[in-house]
Amino acid sequence: MYIEEIKIKNLRVFAEASATFQYPGRKCTKDERAVAIPNLNLILGNNGAGKSSLLKAIGLSAIGPLAMKFTPFMLVRKNKKSSASSSAVPAHMAEAELVGQCTWQDHARTKPDAKLTRAEWKTSVIREGDGESVNFSPVQASNVAESLRIRWELVHQNDCPAFLAVGYGSTRRVDTDPSAATPNSKLRSIPLRHQRIQSLFSDGYPLIWLGHWLPVLKGKNPGRFSQVCTLLNEVLPDDIEFTAKTDKSEEYLFSQNGALVPFAALSDGCRAFVGWVADMLYHICFGCPKGVKLVDNCGIVLVDEIDLHLHPEWQKTVLPKLAATFPKLQFIVTTHSPIVVGTLQRENIWVCEPAPDGNGSVLVQKDIGVNGLSADQILLTPYFGLESSRAPEKQERLKVIAAAAERKVPGQAGAFLKSLVTAMEDEATPPPAAPVARAVKPVTRRKKK
């Protein structure tokens, strides 16, 4: 399944908003240009603008009828204001209406193909007192034969790859304790498809650790084990390698700058990244048809704060590497990093920004190209809206020097240019004082006699 379009109403900060997404196999119209990375979608916005809420709406909707057994929390918008455009949705209800594209997996085929089938459905969250419940309703297709091919009942089968959707919240973590819940023990308490999106809704929800499933895969399917190792290494930076070897305590080892270290000893950024990628690979492997390569699996991957703990050098390559390594997956991610933004085209980027009427947020695309620009340049565009990326004290200092230069104070034009490239602590002289306005006594004219 891929998400082509989403329309949301009365969902947290969104009174009403809509967006269309890039996905593998999407055909461009005559007025559109093909994008370089067709399986990536990036969501931007200030804190509290709705990025995480949008991912939750997509994640909840992506599990189809199983969403009715999921317990959300505080998704229905609470706002005294009401807009005429969203009046069709009751105040106690939030709604997400989606258009998706079903892939070969969603039709229970055993061999990959490129055919896509359109699907439409609604997911509603209803506030009931202090709690919320979910309702799912597929939209009948105009072509009856087409609607019959959309087999939502497949989401109830754990060993079926249909409707693959995984989501990772900003507080994601991996529990490396050997006594922690194993994948099999988790299934006794949380349905598999709920597990796949739980991290978006639960702070600190533990992801599936490599050590709990990769040794089993190595014994049962060495070929697929090799694929997992290769894919994991393809998305890692050049100075980090997954060795597929274990130490005396059976922990998998990584080579970082030439040193062999277990997963728990990796940097925070590396653990955060490897943690969710390994969890995703587990879910791709789970139910993957025999003889199908892992890279041929289709599905939706939602990641909040894709740049979490990542060094700027890694941020420059994280999205292009993910998209190239998993070309059949649709990624919808959020970030605050201008470096990450600079790796995509305007068609890949959506912005959560204040609604024109001041009532919450809306989703917009900017007609501004940023691909290849520097982080400083991107921060000053409407994608981030900063007046300056400098520290406030430095910015004020530059304004004072610039004002002195405009008054033609000797030496201040050169001082301004020098200050542009000099840190404040390295500047020897304070900026010139602003001119003090002198009080002018009113002139009193004597009346003629």
Side-chain angles (χ1 to χ4, degrees), residues 90 106 142 247 302 431:
D106 310 318
S142 56
D247 59 14
L302 310 167

Side-chain angles (χ1 to χ4, degrees), residues 429-448:
T429 58
V436 179
R438 295 180 179 178
V440 179
K441 294 182 179 181
V443 178
T444 305
R445 295 184 178 179
R446 293 181 180 179
K447 293 182 180 180
K448 293 182 180 181

Side-chain angles (χ1 to χ4, degrees), residues 273-441:
F273 183 79
V274 171
W276 77 259
V277 173
D279 182 274
M280 177 188 72
L281 285 168
Y282 166 78
H283 289 296
I284 291 175
C285 288
F286 202 105
C288 180
K290 186 178 179 180
V292 175
K293 293 181 178 180
L294 297 182
V295 293
D296 287 327
N297 278 258
C298 309
I300 306 163
V301 181
L302 310 167
V303 187
D304 205 358
E305 306 292 358
I306 188 70
D307 55 305
L308 188 67
H309 303 309
L310 299 188
H311 187 275
E313 188 66 32
W314 196 344
Q315 293 178 29
K316 291 193 295 185
T317 61
V318 60
L319 286 186
K321 278 192 173 185
L322 282 170
T325 304
F326 301 100
K328 299 296 180 65
L329 295 179
Q330 180 190 33
F331 291 92
I332 304 176
V333 306
T334 75
T335 190
H336 286 290
S337 168
I339 297 176
V340 172
V341 173
T343 62
L344 299 178
Q345 295 171 260
R346 69 192 78 181
E347 291 87 352
N348 299 105
I349 305 171
W350 284 89
V351 184
C352 301
E353 66 178 27
D357 62 357
N359 188 18
S361 298
V362 292
L363 287 164
V364 299
Q365 279 192 311
K366 306 287 186 182
D367 191 19
I368 301 169
V370 289
N371 188 216
L373 296 184
S374 70
D376 235 27
Q377 291 173 307
I378 295 171
L379 286 171
L380 302 183
T381 67
Y383 287 105
F384 288 90
L386 296 187
E387 179 185 348
S388 170
S389 59
R390 299 179 186 275
E393 296 83 358
K394 179 69 171 183
Q395 186 66 10
E396 287 303 313
R397 182 184 181 92
L398 286 170
K399 286 181 179 179
V400 172
I401 300 175
E406 288 180 358
R407 299 195 309 271
K408 297 183 180 181
V409 176
Q412 291 309 297
F416 177 78
L417 295 175
K418 185 177 180 180
S419 185
L420 285 173
V421 295
T422 305
M424 286 188 68
E425 63 265 31
D426 295 332
E427 293 188 280
T429 58
V436 179
R438 295 180 179 178
V440 179
K441 294 182 179 181

